[in-house]
Amino acid sequence: MGKHEQKEFGFGTQIRKSPYFEATVRWGANGFSVYNHMYIPRDFGDPEQNFWNLVNDAILCDVAVERQVEITGPDAAKFAQLLTPRDLSKCAVGQCKYVLITNAEGGILNDPILLRLEENRFWISLADSDILLWAQGVAINADLDVEIREPEVSPLQLQGPKSGEIMKTLFGESITDLRYFWLRPYDLDGIPLIISRTGWSSELGYELYLQDASKGEELWEKIMAAGSPFGLKPGHTSTIRRIEGGMLSYHADMDSSTNPYELGLDRLVDLDMEADFIGKAALKRIREKGVSRKHVGLVIDGPALLGPNTRFWALEKDGECVGKVTSAVFSPRLEKNIALAMVSAEFADHGTTFDVDMPKGKTTATVVERPFFDPNKKIAVA
């Protein structure tokens, strides 16, 4: 894709622009939304082509909206553990963990990636909610020696099967031994970076955390130039691929009233560890009582959806509302409408059918296994 004539975008000065903003517009970004009080590119043309670019070659995505909450100080590890029900006692320096941040009721406030950069230095790489304020509030009465701040760090995601070859071109052979969910510092011609083998795509991929905002456009152009022989395209996070992979989106698939057990994320909760964390007592009660609803995969009958759902579509059983579709899209690879939904626990078994109340009328849907593609995540781990 060539460079396009620049177009002016604006939500007002209260919404921040990333160091890559002008570059994304030059490379064809047609639309933005707001995430963590920042612009995020959502449109580089046909979303189906963006999906094929991702799964066949590679795409570069501006995800500087993944703001970092940095925890430092002698008690940084204790404080990080206080925020999450996942046992962090074996999280090594240089390792990343997918974690949940829970409130006192066990509700999920965010589902970020935690990066341990040093013994007493952590980043929480956020989904879309204000965890900086939460963490600073918790710290006031935690009686722990920590500092909580938002550093000037701006991630890019390079995702897709060709991403490894592009990274070798940029960083040499040493990048190939960076393991899945591990990180390492790099310097690319004077550009300071933290690089992790992570991403929000279910594909092979890397996240490049830029630590000098003045070099954003330089970094973007270097990656696009290195990726040109491999078919690299500018892009945005793919709703199609993330639903295929069963990946969750905060505010769509969960919010502060959702607990980990409803999402089937029991593996991220360790109630038996000695360390305390916010929500531990509530999650013990929920585990003992059981959940009243569950998050499931659905196949929705009818014509191909023209785009992702923008409302929560009601799910009905015998005329009664028993749940809602949280995320839905048409998968061109699977040639079916696939969705994630929250339903009453008694209707969560595979094969259960519902009526779906959609904008143009009702259709039917069936509970199926998820993820819909590559269920063991062999592609991302490879």
Side-chain angles (χ1 to χ4, degrees):
M1 180 181 291
K3 298 180 181 180
H4 290 226
E5 184 176 346
Q6 189 157 338
K7 181 180 177 182
E8 186 73 19
F9 289 96
F11 295 127
T13 54
Q14 76 274 28
I15 306 300
R16 294 182 289 176
K17 293 178 178 176
S18 87
Y20 317 111
F21 179 85
E22 301 298 340
T24 62
V25 174
R26 280 200 310 275
W27 281 87
N30 289 313
F32 292 78
S33 66
V34 175
Y35 190 107
N36 277 334
H37 313 287
M38 292 187 69
Y39 291 77
I40 180 171
R42 295 290 199 192
D43 182 357
F44 278 88
D46 182 359
E48 183 175 324
Q49 185 59 53
N50 180 70
F51 165 78
W52 291 120
N53 293 341
L54 167 63
V55 301
N56 290 330
D57 298 308
I59 61 173
L60 182 64
C61 307
D62 172 4
V63 291
V65 297
E66 293 175 359
R67 306 310 297 167
Q68 310 304 304
V69 174
E70 183 176 80
I71 305 167
T72 55
D75 294 325
K78 288 183 180 177
F79 186 80
Q81 183 63 82
L82 182 62
L83 297 180
T84 178
R86 184 165 188 177
D87 184 357
L88 300 180
S89 62
K90 295 180 181 177
C91 182
V93 173
Q95 197 169 11
C96 311
K97 295 281 187 182
Y98 177 51
V99 301
L100 303 174
I101 293 177
T102 47
N103 61 22
E105 291 73 42
I108 298 171
L109 298 177
N110 204 286
D111 65 329
I113 301 296
L114 181 89
L115 299 88
R116 189 168 197 173
L117 300 134
E118 302 170 11
E119 186 66 25
N120 291 316
R121 185 184 178 210
F122 295 80
W123 284 350
I124 302 173
S125 189
L126 296 177
D128 188 15
S129 69
D130 293 313
I131 294 302
L132 175 66
L133 303 180
W134 170 259
Q136 289 178 331
V138 170
I140 290 173
N141 295 310
D143 196 26
L144 294 173
D145 188 358
V146 291
E147 181 180 351
I148 312 295
R149 72 183 189 104
E150 179 184 303
E152 186 51 60
V153 174
S154 301
L156 286 172
Q157 285 193 6
L158 178 62
Q159 305 283 302
K162 305 282 182 63
S163 62
E165 293 299 318
I166 298 168
M167 291 295 281
K168 274 201 294 187
T169 301
L170 288 163
F171 298 98
E173 284 288 335
S174 68
I175 196 72
T176 60
D177 63 7
L178 182 59
R179 289 182 287 165
Y180 188 53
F181 267 74
W182 286 77
L183 66 88
R184 194 179 294 160
Y186 277 87
D187 182 289
L188 180 65
D189 301 329
I191 303 175
L193 299 167
I194 298 292
I195 296 177
S196 63
R197 270 275 281 110
T198 54
W200 201 65
S201 72
S202 296
E203 294 290 326
L204 172 68
Y206 298 81
E207 290 185 281
L208 298 89
Y209 296 78
L210 172 66
Q211 299 181 88
D212 181 348
S214 70
K215 298 183 182 295
E217 294 208 31
E218 181 184 354
L219 176 61
W220 176 279
E221 296 296 346
K222 278 182 179 291
I223 298 172
M224 290 305 301
S228 178
F230 301 98
L232 176 64
K233 300 290 190 303
H236 55 86
T237 54
S238 171
T239 300
I240 301 171
R241 187 65 186 96
R242 78 97 176 162
I243 296 178
E244 279 189 350
M247 301 185 79
L248 305 174
S249 178
Y250 196 76
H251 291 307
D253 302 303
M254 69 183 107
D255 57 26
S256 61
S257 68
T258 310
N259 69 65
Y261 297 111
E262 293 172 325
L263 296 173
L265 295 177
D266 308 34
R267 65 184 176 85
L268 302 182
V269 180
D270 191 339
L271 296 175
D272 298 323
M273 67 176 164
E274 186 176 343
D276 197 14
F277 60 84
I278 297 170
K280 190 172 188 178
L283 288 171
K284 281 186 176 179
R285 290 195 297 271
I286 293 169
R287 184 178 67 172
E288 290 169 3
K289 183 180 179 182
V291 296
S292 61
R293 55 182 191 163
K294 292 184 177 179
H295 206 234
V296 300
L298 287 182
V299 170
I300 299 176
D301 300 320
L305 298 173
L306 298 179
N309 58 316
T310 58
R311 298 180 183 180
F312 296 106
W313 298 331
L315 291 170
E316 298 177 355
K317 191 72 176 171
D318 300 325
E320 297 291 328
C321 181
V322 295
K324 63 181 180 181
V325 174
T326 56
S327 300
V329 75
F330 176 74
S331 166
R333 169 161 53 189
L334 303 177
E335 298 184 330
K336 60 180 76 170
N337 297 318
I338 58 176
L340 303 172
M342 186 69 81
V343 301
S344 297
E346 62 188 292
F347 300 115
D349 292 339
H350 295 170
T352 304
T353 58
F354 303 99
D355 292 323
V356 190
D357 191 3
M358 298 172 64
K360 292 188 177 180
K362 292 186 179 181
T363 185
T364 52
T366 304
V367 177
V368 298
E369 190 171 357
R370 55 169 184 152
F372 299 89
F373 188 82
D374 186 30
N376 296 319
K377 296 195 177 296
K378 292 182 178 177
I379 295 174
V381 176

